[in-house]
Amino acid sequence: MPRARINPLVETLSSPPIPEVQAWKHDYDGRFGPLLDLSQAVPGYPSHPDMLRWLGEAASSVAMTGYGNIEGEPELRDAYATWVSTIYAAEIKPSNVHVTSGCNQAFMVAAMAIAGPGDRVLLTNPCYFNHETTLKMNGVGVDYVDCRAEDGFLPTTAAVEAMIAEDVRALAVVTPNNPTGATYPGGLLQELLQLCRARGIWLIVDETYRDFLPLDGGAPHGLFALPDWQDNLVGLYSFSKSFCIPGHRVGAITAGEVLVAQIAKVMDNLQICAPRPPQSALAKAIPALGDWRRGNTREIADRAAALKEVMSQTRGWEITALGAYFAFVRHPFAELSAYDAAHKLAQEAGVITIPGSFFGQGLEGYLRVAFANADVATIGQLGQRFSACGR
């Protein structure tokens, strides 16, 4: 009997990387104390008590058990539009906002509305692996703009321009970056948007980690204040990190009304609407929990500073880029692949990270360290563990 066929666009993809590396926890013998899982970007502190209360109230509400608006709950669209209008000093309307079930879904529905089979999308190298797999499983080709360590793992405008062919429909970037932590200066983003406008393609800017930029840095960029931004710009956001609710899966897209209408067609077939109870809770949390969020931003900055200090004193290991939740660290094992180096670190030192090779080509010398889910005291232990593994 012939075996039923699996879609080769899915079958040929690698398995999800996070569960793969987390399986290494069974290889560690506990010699340095508890395992330190620095593989997944999760908040290392709980959600605010008021947020948990609002979630509970909404989850027990009969009104929240029915289908909601495809584009999202009106009160959340309004609250988010008001918030981002303030952040970017721009006029963003509720009709420019589409709520999704997490930022991964935000990228998927936006990409499906923009590009189809036979089209191509530009990603950076290194890139966020879920962006890559999303495109490939939908039959969209992927080309890569190399980002060099000496350039802070940021692309140059010239390198992007050289990659734009007739079948390219979009450029997608992440800032602060996953996996490197590198933050795109506003001037670079403006150059990239101008280039995309000139070539008639979309710029997708994933700002999942936007709220962990320095508090005194001003607006992340000025793109939403530019005339006619709606014609070429798509902004993505996740509520998971800032509000500590990754399990509730809520994200947002900021785009022109024309594109929002097309995204709604995709969303209606994919999920109909994002989960309603967390949307209701977030509509209250956005205006109410600003001080709490800013306190968390300062805490993550302290953790980043602690990691920078520890690694500066750890022979053979080097931070090549750092920001928001991540550090991209060069490991000292010239004879090992990134995969084997990460496995060695997990097995011998009880620290789980992600191999750089999971994020692109030519990255065998790097590991991604997601330090945000470890407090300053825990980060202080890393010097001993990295040094012991480096011998």
Side-chain angles (χ1 to χ4, degrees):
M1 298 280 291
R3 182 170 69 93
R5 178 179 177 272
I6 295 173
N7 180 356
L9 294 177
V10 174
E11 190 175 30
T12 55
L13 295 176
S14 300
S15 297
I18 299 294
E20 182 176 356
V21 300
Q22 288 183 342
W24 294 339
K25 66 182 66 174
H26 305 295
D27 300 334
Y28 173 55
D29 63 10
R31 72 186 75 172
F32 290 107
L35 181 91
L36 303 181
D37 187 352
L38 305 183
S39 64
Q40 192 166 29
V42 294
Y45 41 80
S47 190
H48 192 280
D50 287 346
M51 183 71 196
L52 298 176
R53 176 170 56 84
W54 293 324
L55 283 167
E57 291 171 353
S60 62
S61 168
V62 173
M64 291 284 104
T65 60
Y67 291 118
N69 293 352
I70 297 170
E71 298 89 351
E73 297 296 303
E75 62 265 34
L76 179 55
R77 296 177 79 194
D78 182 69
Y80 185 70
T82 299
W83 186 25
V84 292
S85 294
T86 301
I87 290 172
Y88 296 107
E91 183 182 2
I92 297 172
K93 302 174 183 177
S95 57
N96 294 130
V97 176
H98 196 304
V99 181
T100 61
S101 183
C103 197
N104 275 346
Q105 188 182 76
F107 180 82
M108 175 171 277
V109 296
M112 290 177 70
I114 287 170
D119 292 333
R120 306 190 74 78
V121 169
L122 300 182
L123 301 179
T124 58
N125 178 41
C127 71
Y128 174 45
F129 41 67
N130 279 14
H131 286 177
E132 179 183 57
T133 52
T134 291
L135 295 167
K136 289 184 175 181
M137 71 173 60
N138 281 289
V140 177
V142 181
D143 293 318
Y144 303 90
V145 180
D146 284 330
C147 300
R148 303 181 302 172
E150 53 266 37
D151 295 325
F153 286 106
L154 296 171
T156 65
T157 306
V160 172
E161 185 171 21
M163 297 296 295
I164 299 177
E166 284 295 320
D167 53 358
V168 169
R169 299 290 169 259
L171 163 68
V173 299
V174 183
T175 178
N177 188 254
N178 180 4
T180 67
T183 299
Y184 284 58
L188 174 59
L189 287 172
Q190 188 154 335
E191 289 178 10
L192 293 176
L193 180 57
Q194 290 171 345
L195 174 61
C196 289
R197 280 180 165 180
R199 301 298 293 270
I201 67 174
W202 294 93
L203 174 62
I204 302 173
V205 183
D206 182 333
E207 295 185 273
T208 290
Y209 305 95
R210 177 186 68 207
D211 298 330
F212 301 97
L213 290 168
L215 292 173
D216 58 357
H221 54 76
L223 302 187
F224 291 114
L226 296 174
D228 302 322
W229 66 265
Q230 300 94 333
D231 295 340
N232 296 85
L233 178 63
V234 183
L236 308 182
Y237 177 74
S238 170
F239 295 95
S240 296
K241 320 302 179 185
S242 301
F243 295 89
C244 304
I245 54 168
H248 285 281
R249 312 308 302 131
V250 188
I253 298 170
T254 304
E257 294 178 8
V258 172
L259 184 57
V260 167
Q262 301 307 310
I263 289 170
K265 298 176 185 178
V266 180
M267 188 68 173
D268 186 43
N269 285 276
L270 195 63
Q271 188 164 323
I272 300 180
C273 62
R276 298 187 66 198
Q279 291 189 64
S280 176
L282 284 164
K284 299 180 177 70
I286 287 173
L289 300 183
D291 288 344
W292 176 77
R293 291 195 306 271
R294 285 185 285 274
N296 292 334
T297 299
R298 286 189 284 269
E299 172 61 25
I300 296 301
D302 289 344
R303 297 180 185 192
L307 181 66
K308 191 173 181 180
E309 175 66 20
V310 165
M311 298 305 292
S312 71
Q313 301 175 21
T314 305
R315 185 176 179 181
W317 299 80
E318 177 192 2
I319 293 177
T320 58
L322 179 145
Y325 267 46
F326 305 112
F328 214 47
V329 175
R330 196 191 309 272
H331 67 76
F333 310 112
E335 75 284 2
L336 296 182
S337 67
Y339 186 94
D340 289 339
H343 192 188
K344 177 182 176 69
L345 186 64
Q347 185 176 36
E348 298 183 6
V351 180
I352 300 181
T353 61
I354 299 207
S357 54
F358 282 20
F359 302 98
Q361 299 296 314
L363 302 169
E364 294 293 351
Y366 300 92
L367 306 178
R368 189 192 78 173
V369 177
F371 60 83
N373 59 339
D375 60 22
V376 169
T378 301
I379 290 170
Q381 303 174 24
L382 292 177
Q384 178 191 17
R385 297 198 185 201
F386 278 67
S387 294
C389 185
R391 295 193 187 109

